[in-house]
Amino acid sequence: MRSQQLSSIRPNLELDSSQSTLAEQFQNQTLRPILKFQNELLVAAFRAYIDKRHGVFFQLSAKDRLGWIQHSVQKDQSLRQMLTGMVLGHFTLEEWATFQINEAEHSRRLIQMLIQRLQSAVESFKNQD
């Protein structure tokens, strides 16, 4: 029942995975739909992270902001765990089992997609001072 409910709320991205590796299939069938579904929350959480750092983000150039996002997600363990938890919490039991089989590869892909998603949302980050 939980699996059906989780699957029913995700956007259907209609991605062709017929020629994809197992890792690519998991990325396209599980990670991408969850990231799309959770986008507003992920962006809001990262915006709160920026605000906690006293707006240093807004003193950076556009290029440096992209690097700051990447560095923050990769190096700040608590941030990374919070963001990945927002995604992993939407896994079905079957998806969790698949994730664990190749955790390093799936985690790498997830982090890269999180970074790209946050970097593409950078325009919406306005200084609220």
Side-chain angles (χ1 to χ4, degrees), residues 1-10 92-94:
M1 179 156 175
R2 181 178 184 277
S3 294
Q4 292 172 330
Q5 290 173 332
L6 286 171
S7 297
S8 72
I9 62 172
R10 293 182 194 161
T92 65
L93 291 175
E94 297 82 11

Side-chain angles (χ1 to χ4, degrees), residues 54-119:
H54 306 291
V56 68
F57 178 83
F58 298 107
Q59 298 167 7
L60 301 172
S61 68
K63 180 182 177 195
D64 289 341
R65 287 180 182 188
L66 298 179
W68 192 87
I69 291 169
Q70 180 174 357
H71 182 266
S72 296
V73 174
Q74 289 177 336
K75 301 299 180 192
D76 187 323
Q77 186 175 357
S78 64
L79 173 66
R80 191 174 61 249
Q81 288 175 342
M82 178 183 64
L83 294 174
T84 56
M86 290 177 183
V87 175
L88 300 182
H90 283 263
F91 281 6
T92 65
L93 291 175
E94 297 82 11
E95 290 164 341
W96 175 247
T98 301
F99 181 82
Q100 287 185 305
I101 290 169
N102 197 356
E103 185 174 351
E105 176 64 15
H106 295 315
S107 291
R108 184 191 65 77
R109 288 173 182 268
L110 173 56
I111 295 301
Q112 281 308 114
M113 288 188 295
L114 277 167
I115 290 167
Q116 290 169 353
R117 188 164 284 276
L118 293 171
Q119 287 175 332

Side-chain angles (χ1 to χ4, degrees), residues 6-35:
L6 286 171
S7 297
S8 72
I9 62 172
R10 293 182 194 161
N12 186 353
L13 302 182
E14 306 275 337
L15 299 172
D16 179 19
S17 296
S18 60
Q19 301 295 317
S20 302
T21 66
L22 292 176
E24 290 169 333
Q25 288 176 13
F26 185 78
Q27 171 183 297
N28 292 333
Q29 295 171 359
T30 301
L31 297 178
R32 285 190 192 282
I34 293 172
L35 284 166

